[in-house]
């Protein structure tokens, strides 16, 4: 007996695979430095934890509405309206257990078999995975180092056809840390209107942009009814394990997304939703302090990588990943990542974990302490020298 053929189109996520290998080595007594998982090393702010505890004591342990608690949806709408400079109502918000379900639901809601979906490469592996699951045709959009891991608008336009149904954008970007400036977003919006396709805007790192203001496609004229905005609490509030995400969707898609949510999760954990309200309406000082720490770590890590012979690394504008070029070294991305894990005890990801255009690069998460980053740099330097 075999599983359904559609399962064969789903891809794994290398970060968790490498984490598993690293944990196995640790079980053997090895000391492993973890730079593979995109997870803040800061605790969830105490007022958020307290709100969850109080919600449990108050009985918020049953079902909630499928789209989310009305008070959380309104709080999200207020925050989105403020940060994206566009008026959004709670009736356009859907709350889910993490942001990742919205990538699934958004693609399933708009993509028919044979539709073409343009997605960034290198990019978050879930994009291609779900496109294939929906029987769409994945069209990779190469992100190139020469453009600071962005793309030329002309290259995007060259990929658009009469079968293009959806464009996926991620800014700030995983795995490169790149971002899309306002001029590019305006050009992309023009193409979306001209060629009549949706855009899924993954903005999970929107509060982690260090050198530039964040701009959202949602705020541009004509994009309100064709932008599926995905965001969440995991990165901003260090709530990865809480699983709390949200989407701002065109009004005509809300009922479709509600059905997908109803048939898969019923609803999002109720007391965690109450914690989400506390996150949005409470002090944002922890968010600001965490971003400052990431920025300092970014500068430290990039400077250290650029001092290693054969490695070159641009300074990423956002997120908490470095994406160094290792093309001068004698190993490809996968072989070098394996070598550094097994020989140096540094867990990181090959660029090819994020698509074919990631060859020649590694992804390192700097969501860990300066001490750990220093130790990792020393080990990488010694291991590369041995090559």
């Amino acid at each position: 007996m075999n599983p359904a053929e559609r399962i064969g189109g789903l891809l794994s996520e290398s970060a968790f695979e490498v984490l598993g290998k690293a944990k196995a080595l640790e079980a053997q007594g090895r000391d492993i430095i973890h730079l593979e998982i995109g997870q803040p090393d800061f605790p969830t702010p105490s007022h958020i934890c307290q709100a969850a505890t109080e919600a449990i004591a108050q009985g918020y342990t049953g079902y909630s509405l499928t789209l989310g608690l009305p008070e959380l949806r309104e709080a999200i709408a207020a925050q989105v309206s403020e940060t994206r400079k566009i008026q959004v109502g709670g009736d356009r918000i859907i709350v889910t257990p993490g942001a990742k379900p919205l990538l699934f639901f958004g693609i399933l809601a708009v993509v028919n078999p044979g539709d073409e979906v343009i997605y960034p490469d290198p990019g978050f592996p879930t994009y291609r995975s779900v496109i294939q699951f929906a029987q769409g045709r994945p069209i990779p959009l190469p992100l190139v180092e020469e453009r600071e891991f962005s793309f030329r608008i002309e290259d995007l336009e060259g990929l658009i056809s009469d079968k293009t149904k959806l464009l996926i954008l991620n800014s700030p970007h995983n795995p490169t840390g790149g971002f899309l400036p306002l001029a590019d977003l305006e050009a992309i919006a023009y193409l979306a209107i001209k060629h009549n396709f949706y855009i899924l805007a993954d903005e999970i790192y929107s509060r982690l942009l260090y050198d530039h203001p964040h701009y959202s496609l949602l705020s541009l004229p004509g994009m309100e009814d064709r932008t599926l905005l995905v965001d969440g609490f995991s990165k901003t509030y260090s709530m990865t394990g809480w699983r709390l995400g949200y989407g701002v969707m065109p009004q005509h898609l809300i009922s479709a997304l509600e059905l997908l949510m109803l048939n898969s999760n019923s609803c999002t954990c109720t007391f965690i939703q109450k914690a989400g309200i506390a996150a949005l309406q409470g002090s944002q000082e922890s968010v600001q302090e965490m971003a400052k720490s990431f920025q300092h770590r970014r500068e430290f890590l990039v400077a250290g990588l650029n001092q290693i012979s054969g490695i070159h690394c641009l300074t990423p504008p956002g997120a908490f990943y470095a994406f160094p070029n290792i093309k001068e070294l004698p190993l490809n991305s996968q072989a070098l990542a394996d070598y550094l894990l097994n020989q140096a005890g540094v867990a990181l990801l090959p660029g090819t974990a994020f698509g074919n255009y990631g060859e020649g690069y590694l992804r390192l998460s700097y969501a860990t302490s300066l001490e750990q980053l220093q130790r990792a740099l020393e080990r990488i330097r010694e291991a590369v020298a041995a090559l």
Side-chain angles (χ1 to χ4, degrees):
M1 300 292 287
N2 296 315
E5 291 181 3
R6 69 176 68 89
I7 300 301
L10 291 173
L11 306 175
S12 183
E13 193 171 333
S14 293
F16 290 96
E17 292 180 354
V18 174
L19 177 63
K21 293 177 182 178
K23 291 295 185 182
L25 290 173
E26 286 178 323
Q28 299 171 17
R30 293 284 304 279
D31 176 40
I32 304 297
I33 300 172
H34 293 274
L35 306 181
E36 78 278 35
I37 289 292
Q39 174 168 261
D41 61 326
F42 296 88
T44 304
S46 59
H47 69 281
I48 299 175
C49 298
Q50 182 180 351
T53 301
E54 291 177 354
I56 293 173
Q58 293 167 4
Y60 287 93
T61 56
Y63 290 125
S64 79
L65 297 175
T66 297
L67 289 174
L69 292 173
E71 56 267 41
L72 175 57
R73 296 172 70 198
E74 290 298 332
I76 292 169
Q79 196 260 3
V80 169
S81 297
E82 178 183 354
T83 57
R84 273 69 171 194
K85 305 296 187 282
I86 183 172
Q87 191 59 41
V88 173
D91 59 341
R92 292 182 54 201
I93 306 297
I94 176 171
V95 179
T96 53
K100 193 177 288 185
L102 282 164
L103 302 179
F104 226 112
F105 297 161
I107 293 170
L108 288 176
V110 302
V111 175
N112 290 308
D115 285 344
E116 293 180 354
V117 182
I118 302 172
Y119 69 99
D121 185 346
F124 189 43
T126 295
Y127 303 149
R128 181 183 180 93
S129 182
V130 181
I131 295 166
Q132 293 176 166
F133 187 81
Q135 299 180 22
R137 183 185 174 203
I139 307 293
L141 174 62
L143 306 183
V144 295
E145 185 176 2
E146 292 74 19
R147 292 188 59 81
E148 298 184 330
F149 295 112
S150 186
F151 52 87
R152 296 191 313 158
I153 297 300
E154 305 93 290
D155 294 336
L156 168 61
E157 190 166 18
L159 296 176
I160 297 170
S161 75
D162 57 1
K163 293 184 179 180
T164 301
K165 189 65 172 294
L166 178 69
L167 166 65
I168 299 176
L169 298 176
N170 178 207
S171 179
H173 181 254
N174 176 16
T176 70
F179 87 112
L180 290 168
L182 179 59
D184 284 1
L185 292 175
E186 289 173 338
I188 292 165
Y190 169 80
L191 292 176
I193 295 170
K194 176 182 177 181
H195 296 281
N196 192 31
F197 56 79
Y198 288 104
I199 294 180
L200 193 158
D202 183 350
E203 299 185 4
I204 193 69
Y205 298 99
S206 62
R207 300 282 291 276
L208 296 173
L209 189 60
Y210 310 111
D211 308 311
H212 309 274
H214 174 71
Y215 296 105
S216 176
L217 272 166
L218 185 66
S219 64
L220 299 182
M223 296 306 296
E224 192 170 350
D225 288 334
R226 62 178 71 249
T227 301
L228 291 71
L229 186 149
V230 175
D231 205 336
F233 294 73
S234 292
K235 317 298 183 182
T236 302
Y237 298 101
S238 195
M239 293 175 67
T240 53
W242 295 67
R243 308 317 300 138
L244 186 60
Y246 63 85
V248 185
M249 299 293 159
Q251 191 64 58
H252 64 274
L253 291 179
I254 284 290
S255 60
L257 290 159
E258 183 177 18
L259 284 172
L260 287 165
M261 180 65 179
L262 180 64
N263 280 274
S264 56
N265 296 287
S266 294
C267 64
T268 303
C269 178
T270 310
F271 59 84
I272 288 178
Q273 292 189 65
K274 297 293 285 187
I277 298 172
L280 293 173
Q281 297 181 344
S283 170
Q284 303 298 299
E285 183 177 351
S286 61
V287 178
Q288 298 161 3
E289 290 301 317
M290 186 168 64
K292 288 180 182 178
S293 294
F294 286 148
Q295 185 171 6
H296 184 46
R297 296 172 185 183
R298 173 194 68 164
E299 294 163 359
F300 179 83
L301 178 61
V302 170
L305 288 170
N306 282 322
Q307 292 172 5
I308 300 174
S309 179
I311 296 180
H312 308 281
C313 188
L314 296 180
T315 300
F320 39 61
Y321 307 111
F323 203 64
N325 183 321
I326 50 92
K327 294 178 182 179
E328 294 179 13
L329 299 179
L331 299 178
N332 65 26
S333 297
Q334 183 64 64
L336 183 59
D338 291 340
Y339 170 73
L340 291 173
L341 175 60
N342 294 308
Q343 301 300 319
V346 179
L348 42 71
L349 299 183
T352 47
F354 302 91
N356 293 333
Y357 292 96
E359 182 57 79
Y361 300 89
L362 299 175
R363 192 197 80 169
L364 292 73
S365 168
Y366 51 86
T368 189
S369 69
L370 285 173
E371 178 185 5
Q372 290 292 80
L373 293 176
Q374 176 66 53
R375 294 176 64 224
L377 286 168
E378 291 171 356
R379 293 186 184 188
I380 293 170
R381 183 179 298 108
E382 292 176 5
V384 167
L387 290 174

